[in-house]
Amino acid sequence: MADRRRINGPSGGTTAPVFSKYISQDSKDLGRPPRTRAPNVLRKMFLKTGVTPSASGSAYLEMEPSKSPSAIAPGLASLHPSGLKLTCTVHGPRPLPRSAPFSPHIILTTHVKYAPFATRRRRGYLRDSSERDLGVHLETALRGVIIGDRWPKSGVEVIITILEGEEDQWWGDDRGQGSISAGEWGMMSVLSGCITVASAAIADAGIDCVDVVSGGVAAVVRASQGTPSPTMLVLDPVPSEHQEIVAACIVAYLPGRDEITDLWVKGNIGHGTQSSSELPSYEDLADNAVQAALGSHRVLLGALKETADLKLGR
């Protein structure tokens, strides 16, 4: 259904023009942003709660962007690799309307939306299928955390706005095509950040939970695309830094209870019976995603402790 009350922008990409002295070079000469981190090292993360005073709880999360190669001229923002910036607001718990049927537990509603300027390809004002998928996975991850029996016939809304999202691949790989990559690997990192920032906002709202949930993502990457080169397991992958991503896994993990509330695996993955020279197994990929979630959990606990000390005046 089209939004007839709004003048929408063009459906195609709206990236600022790139001048001929840049497009005359080969994309390989411009340089893919390298991964300077070790395979088991996460990006730096900034997390802060209480950024929206009008909401019951709120949080802001920002991930460190990739290092720009020296070949890219400074100031050409359309060619610089993007990071991840998310903001989350929680409204509730509040009573449901009188017309709503009785519910013995709280009704959780999640809404994930890309800002129109969040990615290189401009997003629409109405949610598409990928944003609805992110909302479903986020609801699944949070439903096993909130103690819903304490708020009968009540509802809570978790709204996440993606101010800057992960690109699905390096801009030089699809230059001139004007279409989003079919892989959509950036959604995995976005969902991991959504789970972490939503957990911080729910804790800031004072909603009782069994534990704080954090998101983590791991991937199997290959150095050369389309060739039988050896694969490698990495934590917190950035799609623009790797030539090819074979498989990725995202988990929502509860460290205190050692439970996983949501698991999403995408791509070609091996089994435990395969030899070590082939693809890593499904269990290895999930275990590495849990390790990434533990790293996010430490940042989450630090942000919540800082907020608690600020509220108590310590």
Side-chain angles (χ1 to χ4, degrees), residues 126-153:
L126 300 179
R127 291 201 304 168
D128 55 15
S129 59
S130 63
E131 292 166 334
R132 289 191 292 269
D133 289 343
L134 290 175
V136 171
H137 281 283
L138 179 62
E139 181 179 355
T140 304
L142 299 179
R143 191 175 295 277
V145 179
I146 299 176
I147 306 176
D149 298 339
R150 298 187 180 180
W151 291 278
K153 203 178 180 182

Short mmCIF file of all heavy atoms in Angstrom, two decimals, residues 126-153:
data_model
loop_
_atom_site.label_atom_id
_atom_site.label_comp_id
_atom_site.label_asym_id
_atom_site.label_seq_id
_atom_site.Cartn_x
_atom_site.Cartn_y
_atom_site.Cartn_z
N LEU A 126 7.95 3.45 4.39
CA LEU A 126 7.21 2.29 4.88
C LEU A 126 8.16 1.11 5.06
O LEU A 126 9.12 0.96 4.30
CB LEU A 126 6.07 1.91 3.93
CG LEU A 126 5.03 3.00 3.69
CD1 LEU A 126 3.98 2.51 2.70
CD2 LEU A 126 4.36 3.41 4.99
N ARG A 127 7.90 0.28 6.03
CA ARG A 127 8.78 -0.85 6.32
C ARG A 127 8.73 -1.88 5.21
O ARG A 127 7.65 -2.22 4.71
CB ARG A 127 8.40 -1.50 7.65
CG ARG A 127 8.69 -0.65 8.87
CD ARG A 127 8.78 -1.50 10.11
NE ARG A 127 7.59 -2.29 10.35
CZ ARG A 127 7.51 -3.27 11.23
NH1 ARG A 127 8.57 -3.59 11.94
NH2 ARG A 127 6.39 -3.93 11.40
N ASP A 128 9.89 -2.40 4.84
CA ASP A 128 9.95 -3.46 3.85
C ASP A 128 10.09 -4.81 4.54
O ASP A 128 10.03 -4.91 5.77
CB ASP A 128 11.09 -3.22 2.86
CG ASP A 128 12.44 -3.06 3.56
OD1 ASP A 128 12.54 -3.40 4.76
OD2 ASP A 128 13.39 -2.60 2.91
N SER A 129 10.29 -5.86 3.77
CA SER A 129 10.34 -7.22 4.32
C SER A 129 11.54 -7.41 5.24
O SER A 129 11.45 -8.10 6.26
CB SER A 129 10.36 -8.24 3.19
OG SER A 129 11.50 -8.04 2.35
N SER A 130 12.68 -6.83 4.90
CA SER A 130 13.87 -7.01 5.75
C SER A 130 13.67 -6.35 7.11
O SER A 130 14.08 -6.90 8.14
CB SER A 130 15.10 -6.43 5.05
OG SER A 130 14.96 -5.04 4.85
N GLU A 131 13.02 -5.21 7.16
CA GLU A 131 12.78 -4.55 8.44
C GLU A 131 11.76 -5.32 9.27
O GLU A 131 11.87 -5.38 10.50
CB GLU A 131 12.31 -3.12 8.19
CG GLU A 131 13.39 -2.24 7.58
CD GLU A 131 12.83 -0.95 7.01
OE1 GLU A 131 11.64 -0.92 6.64
OE2 GLU A 131 13.58 0.04 6.94
N ARG A 132 10.79 -5.91 8.61
CA ARG A 132 9.83 -6.74 9.36
C ARG A 132 10.50 -7.99 9.90
O ARG A 132 10.18 -8.45 11.01
CB ARG A 132 8.65 -7.09 8.46
CG ARG A 132 7.73 -5.91 8.17
CD ARG A 132 6.44 -6.38 7.51
NE ARG A 132 6.67 -6.89 6.17
CZ ARG A 132 6.62 -6.16 5.07
NH1 ARG A 132 6.35 -4.86 5.15
NH2 ARG A 132 6.83 -6.69 3.89
N ASP A 133 11.43 -8.57 9.14
CA ASP A 133 12.17 -9.73 9.64
C ASP A 133 13.00 -9.36 10.87
O ASP A 133 13.09 -10.14 11.83
CB ASP A 133 13.07 -10.28 8.54
CG ASP A 133 12.30 -10.97 7.45
OD1 ASP A 133 11.12 -11.31 7.68
OD2 ASP A 133 12.85 -11.17 6.34
N LEU A 134 13.63 -8.19 10.84
CA LEU A 134 14.40 -7.76 12.01
C LEU A 134 13.49 -7.59 13.22
O LEU A 134 13.87 -7.95 14.34
CB LEU A 134 15.11 -6.44 11.69
CG LEU A 134 16.27 -6.49 10.69
CD1 LEU A 134 16.78 -5.09 10.39
CD2 LEU A 134 17.40 -7.36 11.22
N GLY A 135 12.28 -7.07 13.01
CA GLY A 135 11.35 -6.92 14.12
C GLY A 135 10.91 -8.24 14.70
O GLY A 135 10.77 -8.38 15.93
N VAL A 136 10.70 -9.24 13.85
CA VAL A 136 10.28 -10.55 14.33
C VAL A 136 11.40 -11.20 15.15
O VAL A 136 11.16 -11.77 16.22
CB VAL A 136 9.87 -11.44 13.15
CG1 VAL A 136 9.65 -12.89 13.60
CG2 VAL A 136 8.59 -10.91 12.50
N HIS A 137 12.64 -11.13 14.64
CA HIS A 137 13.76 -11.72 15.38
C HIS A 137 13.99 -10.98 16.69
O HIS A 137 14.32 -11.61 17.72
CB HIS A 137 15.02 -11.68 14.53
CG HIS A 137 15.09 -12.76 13.49
ND1 HIS A 137 15.42 -14.06 13.79
CD2 HIS A 137 14.86 -12.73 12.15
CE1 HIS A 137 15.40 -14.79 12.68
NE2 HIS A 137 15.06 -14.00 11.68
N LEU A 138 13.83 -9.68 16.69
CA LEU A 138 14.01 -8.92 17.93
C LEU A 138 12.94 -9.28 18.96
O LEU A 138 13.24 -9.44 20.15
CB LEU A 138 13.97 -7.43 17.62
CG LEU A 138 14.12 -6.48 18.81
CD1 LEU A 138 15.47 -6.67 19.49
CD2 LEU A 138 13.93 -5.04 18.37
N GLU A 139 11.71 -9.44 18.51
CA GLU A 139 10.65 -9.84 19.43
C GLU A 139 10.90 -11.22 20.01
O GLU A 139 10.68 -11.47 21.20
CB GLU A 139 9.30 -9.80 18.71
CG GLU A 139 8.12 -10.17 19.59
CD GLU A 139 6.80 -10.11 18.85
OE1 GLU A 139 6.81 -9.69 17.68
OE2 GLU A 139 5.78 -10.48 19.44
N THR A 140 11.39 -12.14 19.19
CA THR A 140 11.71 -13.48 19.68
C THR A 140 12.82 -13.44 20.73
O THR A 140 12.77 -14.15 21.73
CB THR A 140 12.13 -14.38 18.51
OG1 THR A 140 11.09 -14.39 17.53
CG2 THR A 140 12.39 -15.80 18.98
N ALA A 141 13.82 -12.59 20.50
CA ALA A 141 14.93 -12.50 21.45
C ALA A 141 14.50 -11.89 22.78
O ALA A 141 14.99 -12.30 23.84
CB ALA A 141 16.06 -11.68 20.83
N LEU A 142 13.59 -10.92 22.74
CA LEU A 142 13.20 -10.24 23.97
C LEU A 142 12.08 -10.94 24.72
O LEU A 142 11.92 -10.74 25.92
CB LEU A 142 12.76 -8.80 23.65
CG LEU A 142 13.82 -7.89 23.01
CD1 LEU A 142 13.23 -6.53 22.73
CD2 LEU A 142 15.04 -7.78 23.90
N ARG A 143 11.31 -11.75 24.00
CA ARG A 143 10.17 -12.41 24.66
C ARG A 143 10.62 -13.38 25.75
O ARG A 143 9.93 -13.56 26.76
CB ARG A 143 9.32 -13.14 23.62
CG ARG A 143 7.99 -13.64 24.15
CD ARG A 143 7.17 -14.23 23.03
NE ARG A 143 6.81 -13.23 22.05
CZ ARG A 143 5.78 -12.41 22.17
NH1 ARG A 143 5.03 -12.44 23.27
NH2 ARG A 143 5.51 -11.53 21.24
N GLY A 144 11.75 -14.01 25.57
CA GLY A 144 12.25 -14.94 26.58
C GLY A 144 13.01 -14.26 27.71
O GLY A 144 13.55 -14.95 28.58
N VAL A 145 13.08 -12.93 27.72
CA VAL A 145 13.83 -12.20 28.73
C VAL A 145 12.90 -11.50 29.71
O VAL A 145 13.10 -11.53 30.93
CB VAL A 145 14.77 -11.17 28.04
CG1 VAL A 145 15.54 -10.38 29.09
CG2 VAL A 145 15.71 -11.87 27.09
N ILE A 146 11.85 -10.86 29.19
CA ILE A 146 10.94 -10.09 30.04
C ILE A 146 10.05 -11.03 30.85
O ILE A 146 9.53 -12.02 30.34
CB ILE A 146 10.07 -9.15 29.16
CG1 ILE A 146 10.96 -8.17 28.40
CG2 ILE A 146 9.05 -8.42 30.00
CD1 ILE A 146 10.20 -7.27 27.46
N ILE A 147 9.88 -10.71 32.11
CA ILE A 147 8.97 -11.46 32.98
C ILE A 147 7.57 -10.87 32.76
O ILE A 147 7.16 -9.92 33.43
CB ILE A 147 9.40 -11.36 34.46
CG1 ILE A 147 10.86 -11.81 34.61
CG2 ILE A 147 8.50 -12.21 35.35
CD1 ILE A 147 11.39 -11.65 36.02
N GLY A 148 6.85 -11.43 31.83
CA GLY A 148 5.59 -10.84 31.39
C GLY A 148 4.43 -11.06 32.33
O GLY A 148 3.41 -10.34 32.23
N ASP A 149 4.51 -12.02 33.25
CA ASP A 149 3.38 -12.30 34.14
C ASP A 149 3.14 -11.19 35.17
O ASP A 149 2.09 -11.17 35.81
CB ASP A 149 3.61 -13.62 34.88
CG ASP A 149 3.70 -14.79 33.92
OD1 ASP A 149 3.19 -14.65 32.79
OD2 ASP A 149 4.28 -15.83 34.29
N ARG A 150 4.06 -10.28 35.33
CA ARG A 150 3.91 -9.22 36.33
C ARG A 150 3.08 -8.04 35.81
O ARG A 150 2.79 -7.13 36.57
CB ARG A 150 5.29 -8.74 36.78
CG ARG A 150 6.08 -9.84 37.45
CD ARG A 150 7.37 -9.32 38.05
NE ARG A 150 8.12 -10.42 38.69
CZ ARG A 150 9.28 -10.27 39.30
NH1 ARG A 150 9.85 -9.07 39.34
NH2 ARG A 150 9.89 -11.31 39.85
N TRP A 151 2.77 -8.03 34.53
CA TRP A 151 1.97 -6.94 33.97
C TRP A 151 0.83 -7.51 33.15
O TRP A 151 0.87 -7.54 31.92
CB TRP A 151 2.83 -6.03 33.09
CG TRP A 151 3.83 -5.23 33.84
CD1 TRP A 151 3.65 -4.07 34.50
CD2 TRP A 151 5.20 -5.57 34.01
NE1 TRP A 151 4.81 -3.64 35.07
CE2 TRP A 151 5.78 -4.54 34.79
CE3 TRP A 151 6.01 -6.63 33.59
CZ2 TRP A 151 7.12 -4.55 35.15
CZ3 TRP A 151 7.33 -6.65 33.94
CH2 TRP A 151 7.87 -5.61 34.73
N PRO A 152 -0.24 -8.00 33.79
CA PRO A 152 -1.38 -8.51 33.02
C PRO A 152 -2.13 -7.36 32.35
O PRO A 152 -2.22 -6.25 32.89
CB PRO A 152 -2.24 -9.20 34.07
CG PRO A 152 -1.87 -8.54 35.36
CD PRO A 152 -0.43 -8.15 35.24
N LYS A 153 -2.62 -7.65 31.16
CA LYS A 153 -3.36 -6.68 30.34
C LYS A 153 -2.60 -5.36 30.22
O LYS A 153 -3.14 -4.27 30.42
CB LYS A 153 -4.75 -6.42 30.91
CG LYS A 153 -5.73 -5.89 29.85
CD LYS A 153 -7.11 -5.68 30.37
CE LYS A 153 -8.01 -5.16 29.25
NZ LYS A 153 -9.39 -4.89 29.72
#
